């Protein structure tokens, strides 16, 4: 009988990619993926530690897996990723039936560790060194970037893929666990990345999203050759068959003009930049150790919009960080009002043991105040999102069709509601047949909500250029059926 593996993933794109790669490796060992935990021989939980809520989610899932393990003692339960690196022994204290704890830097070992658990029934722990445990080189070497052969069947869509270009982070924002859970910042050699992109494109991939915690800090030095993110992008841009290049997440201090120039000049590069500011108050930014002021960020934003006309910018915010007064929060609200982000991800501060903020500053903003600030900021952002989306109405946009919308998935007729994204990362919903999935089509935008555009696919005769105004707007308004939440 085929062996089955189940995986649950919490967290960022990096975790989504790690899960794809781990499952790809286990499939090569003869495992089939199942979405039913009770059918699985191996249950994996790929975890996130950025907020306490994410950790609690994993502990709840582990609790639900316990009866399955109790009934089937041969089942292997593994905790992977950031929590594994951060909590190590603590996980087995709280969930003693966990068989493997595998950090972000040891994912390549998962298939062998599964076999070892099966053979020995002994718990397995594989994690990297802590950042203060040894010299930089040794710690770096213990965090191994996991970049095996790609398996297109492991992705939700074979024509879109994440590509890791960097691991770790050296920014040490005081609130954040990432520098310890993912280790020192290390950029992959450009040749490895270009070769992975060529392999993905040969497998039918049309869009790559380059990922790193601070992707625009990417720098690879070999002898006297320095490769920056802009060089890396330019080096893959002409890959035949590749249609779109995205990259996330950007650090505001590293938004250099060479990067703006490739975004403007190279047609396959998406005109969309995610550049989290976190707060609009200088004192808060200082306590966060973000290394810039609000006016530095706003100058960067102005430069970005001047050098890349039509660019869409999005941001992250933390509300209720230590010592955030009503006055400091008001500065964040005003920054959001002025900045016209396409959308923002807003998080309530979650104190993370082991971070500088947890050591130095009391978590002194009450939960109900954090919640209110979250809602207030969201309301201001939503006004901007509505205006931003309304501006797109009447335009013709290029959409890479991703699949049926949530509504479309339930429809049985050949014409379904489909969804895709524009070159500025706007979500568009329109009617079409599933034959369009994976294709780039021109869509005339006729209506909008704060998070979604609604449109009609153009026939060949009416194709215009991206962003060109239509002669006349359709007046067929439609009830929005699909939206993305702003708070995750
Ligand atoms: N490296 C990216 C950057 O600096 O912009 C973001 C990485 S982090 C995984 C994603 C977002 O989570 C951050 O931008 C921040 O807004 C949020 N975040 C990180 N630590 C947090 C904490 N302790 N509490 C609440 N939100 C947090
Ligand atoms: Fe965390 Fe700051 Fe690094 Fe982003 S830049 S991963 S928020 S330490």
């Amino acid at each position: 009988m085929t062996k089955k593996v189940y995986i649950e993933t919490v967290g960022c794109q990096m975790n989504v990619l790690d899960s794809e790669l781990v499952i790809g490796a286990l499939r090569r060992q003869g495992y089939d993926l199942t979405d039913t935990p009770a059918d699985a021989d191996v249950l994996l939980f790929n975890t996130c530690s950025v907020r306490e809520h994410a950790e609690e989610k994993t502990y709840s899932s582990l609790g639900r897996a316990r009866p399955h393990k109790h009934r089937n003692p041969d089942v292997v339960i593994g905790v992977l990723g950031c929590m594994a690196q951060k909590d190590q022994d603590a996980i087995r204290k709280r969930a003693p039936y966990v068989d493997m704890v595998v950090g972000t830097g040891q994912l390549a070992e998962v298939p062998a560790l599964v076999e070892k658990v099966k053979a020995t029934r002994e718990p397995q722990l594989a994690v990297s060194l802590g950042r203060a445990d040894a010299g930089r080189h040794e710690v770096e070497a213990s965090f191994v970037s996991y970049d095996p052969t790609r398996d297109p069947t492991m992705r939700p869509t074979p024509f879109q893929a994440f590509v890791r270009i960097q691991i770790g982070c050296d920014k040490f924002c005081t609130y954040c666990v990432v520098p310890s859970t993912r280790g020192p910042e290390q950029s992959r050699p450009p040749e490895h990345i270009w070769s992975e992109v060529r392999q993905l494109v040969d497998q039918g991939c049309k869009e790559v999203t380059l990922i790193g915690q601070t992707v625009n800090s990417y720098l690879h030095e070999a002898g006297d050759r320095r490769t920056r993110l802009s060089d890396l992008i330019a080096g893959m841009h002409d890959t035949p068959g590749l249609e779109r290049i995205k990259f996330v997440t950007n650090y505001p201090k590293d938004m250099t003009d060479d990067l703006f120039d490739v975004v403007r000049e190279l047609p396959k590069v998406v005109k969309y930049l995610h550049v989290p500011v976190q707060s609009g108050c200088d004192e808060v930014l200082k306590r966060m150790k973000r290394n810039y002021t609000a006016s530095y960020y706003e100058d960067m934003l102005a430069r970005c919009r001047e050098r890349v006309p039509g660019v869409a910018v999005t941001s992250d915010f933390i509300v209720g960080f230590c010592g955030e007064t009503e006055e400091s929060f008001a500065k964040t609200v005003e920054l959001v009002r002025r900045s016209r982000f396409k959308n923002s991800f807003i998080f309530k501060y979650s104190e993370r043991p082991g971070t500088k903020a947890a050591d130095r500053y009391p978590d002194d903003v009450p939960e109900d105040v954090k919640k209110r600030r979250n809602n207030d900021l969201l309301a201001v952002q939503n006004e901007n999102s509505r205006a931003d989306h309304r501006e797109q109405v009447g335009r013709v946009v290029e959409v890479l069709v991703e699949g049926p919308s949530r509504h479309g998935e339930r429809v049985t007729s050949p014409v379904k509601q489909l969804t895709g994204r524009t070159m500025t990362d706007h979500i568009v919903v329109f009617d079409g047949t599933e034959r369009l999935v994976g294709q780039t089509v021109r869509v005339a935008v006729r209506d909008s909500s704060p998070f979604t555009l609604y449109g009609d696919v153009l026939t060949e005769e009416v194709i215009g250029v991206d962003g060109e105004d239509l002669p006349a707007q359709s007046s067929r308004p439609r009830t929005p059926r699909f939206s993305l939440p702003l708070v995750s």
Side-chain angles (χ1 to χ4, degrees):
M1 224 174 54
T2 336
K3 301 168 289 182
K4 292 201 172 126
V5 56
Y6 168 85
I7 193 158
E8 217 171 278
T9 307
V10 183
C12 62
Q13 291 102 332
M14 203 58 97
N15 276 10
V16 173
L17 174 58
D18 284 338
S19 290
E20 175 199 321
L21 299 175
V22 165
I23 294 298
L26 286 169
R27 268 167 55 98
R28 286 191 287 279
Q29 306 288 316
Y31 282 86
D32 269 355
L33 184 62
T34 174
D35 53 12
T36 314
D39 289 347
D41 305 285
V42 176
L43 284 93
L44 300 176
F45 298 90
N46 194 5
T47 61
C48 171
S49 289
V50 166
R51 282 167 290 276
E52 190 184 357
H53 175 66
E55 294 188 347
E56 286 310 319
K57 236 170 155 171
T58 294
Y59 280 119
S60 302
S61 300
L62 285 172
R64 282 193 298 275
R66 188 181 192 155
H68 179 48
K69 173 80 175 170
H70 191 68
R71 280 192 302 272
N72 309 280
D74 288 345
V75 159
V76 177
I77 297 189
V79 174
L80 318 180
C82 289
M83 263 173 85
Q85 178 62 34
K86 176 173 150 286
D87 292 338
Q88 309 185 0
D89 302 329
I91 294 172
R92 275 191 42 88
K93 283 209 185 93
R94 200 158 153 186
Y97 46 92
V98 166
D99 300 291
M100 325 187 310
V101 174
V102 186
T104 54
Q106 283 70 31
L107 296 176
E109 297 173 32
V110 168
L113 290 170
V114 169
E115 291 315 308
K116 209 161 169 187
V117 170
K118 283 182 170 174
T120 64
R121 297 316 315 173
E122 291 289 322
Q124 300 298 320
L125 173 72
V127 292
S128 302
L129 293 170
R131 293 214 51 159
D133 288 350
R136 170 133 191 149
H137 272 335
E138 244 183 291
V139 179
E140 271 185 4
S142 74
F143 279 90
V144 182
S145 181
Y146 180 44
D147 306 300
T149 317
R150 305 297 294 259
D151 176 348
T153 62
M154 284 295 93
R155 295 194 291 276
T157 57
F159 50 89
Q160 293 173 300
F162 292 128
V163 175
R164 190 189 333 266
I165 69 166
Q166 175 200 58
I167 60 169
C169 180
D170 283 344
K171 304 295 189 216
F172 291 101
C173 304
T174 55
Y175 51 80
C176 185
V177 290
V178 171
S180 55
T181 60
R182 292 220 168 242
E185 185 179 309
Q186 302 182 66
S187 294
R188 280 178 78 195
E191 287 75 16
H192 294 194
I193 298 166
W194 291 327
S195 148
E196 186 171 345
V197 169
R198 277 196 301 275
Q199 189 213 353
L200 284 163
V201 172
D202 288 346
Q203 294 173 342
C205 183
K206 295 181 176 178
E207 176 189 280
V208 292
T209 302
L210 311 179
I211 58 173
Q213 293 302 336
T214 54
V215 74
N216 57 333
S217 320
Y218 175 91
L219 180 66
H220 190 269
E221 293 180 291
D224 54 6
R225 189 189 67 163
R226 293 177 90 241
T227 309
R228 302 162 300 178
L229 177 60
S230 56
D231 307 313
L232 184 76
I233 292 173
M236 70 178 69
H237 184 264
D238 294 338
T239 309
L242 181 63
E243 292 184 10
R244 287 188 180 186
I245 304 168
K246 294 188 190 181
F247 52 95
V248 284
T249 293
N250 293 287
Y251 187 66
K253 280 289 281 268
D254 293 334
M255 295 304 293
T256 48
D257 287 348
D258 57 295
L259 188 58
F260 290 141
D261 293 346
V262 296
V263 177
R264 184 188 63 243
E265 293 298 325
L266 299 184
K268 294 180 185 176
V269 182
V270 166
K271 291 1 177 196
Y272 156 67
L273 296 167
H274 182 56
V275 198
V277 55
Q278 312 296 359
S279 168
C281 168
D282 288 348
E283 290 85 56
V284 173
L285 287 169
K286 195 165 179 199
R287 278 197 297 280
M288 289 179 164
K289 196 176 162 289
R290 288 290 287 183
N291 294 321
Y292 53 80
T293 59
S295 68
Y296 177 94
Y297 183 91
E298 293 196 81
D299 289 349
M300 180 283 300
L301 195 57
R303 196 159 44 90
C304 169
R305 289 187 167 135
E306 190 188 309
R307 291 189 88 101
V308 190
V311 69
V313 182
T314 59
S315 180
D316 290 350
F317 290 89
I318 297 178
V319 294
F321 184 64
C322 318
E324 186 191 68
T325 60
E326 289 302 333
E327 203 187 356
S328 33
F329 175 66
K331 291 180 182 165
T332 302
V333 171
E334 284 319 306
L335 182 136
V336 170
R337 218 187 285 287
R338 286 192 299 272
S339 298
R340 294 176 291 113
F341 296 118
K342 176 172 83 77
N343 62 276
S344 291
F345 298 91
I346 302 165
F347 306 102
K348 287 178 289 170
Y349 172 58
S350 168
E351 185 177 83
R352 307 287 49 226
T355 58
K356 285 274 180 320
D359 291 348
R360 283 183 196 163
Y361 313 118
D363 180 11
D364 55 0
V365 178
E367 184 58 27
D368 59 329
V369 175
K370 287 180 184 170
K371 204 178 262 175
R372 172 176 52 77
R373 290 181 188 168
N374 192 327
N375 290 339
D376 288 354
L377 198 58
L378 200 54
V380 177
Q381 173 57 53
N382 284 354
E383 275 172 42
N384 281 353
S385 298
R386 186 183 301 279
D388 168 89
H389 280 67
R390 207 180 285 133
E391 270 174 30
Q392 305 288 324
V393 174
R395 293 186 166 189
V396 175
V397 289
E398 269 183 30
V399 177
L400 176 59
V401 186
E402 294 181 359
S405 67
R406 265 185 245 158
H407 170 76
E409 275 168 8
R410 296 193 296 269
V411 172
T412 48
S413 76
V415 176
K416 291 184 186 306
Q417 193 180 65
L418 302 176
T419 178
R421 282 175 197 255
T422 69
M423 283 295 279
T424 44
D425 205 54
H426 286 84
I427 294 169
V428 188
V429 163
F430 51 94
D431 286 344
T433 60
E434 282 197 72
R435 189 175 53 82
L436 295 180
V437 175
Q439 307 294 320
T440 301
V441 295
R442 298 257 163 141
V443 174
V445 180
R446 98 179 104 66
D447 200 1
S448 67
S449 74
F451 318 118
T452 311
L453 303 175
Y454 302 90
D456 301 299
V457 178
L458 291 181
T459 57
E460 288 301 310
E461 304 83 73
V462 286
I463 279 176
V465 292
D466 201 16
E468 180 185 293
D469 283 345
L470 283 179
Q473 282 179 33
S474 155
S475 58
R476 193 158 53 97
R478 210 185 278 172
T479 322
R481 300 186 187 102
F482 180 87
S483 67
L484 269 190
L486 283 184
V487 183
S488 57

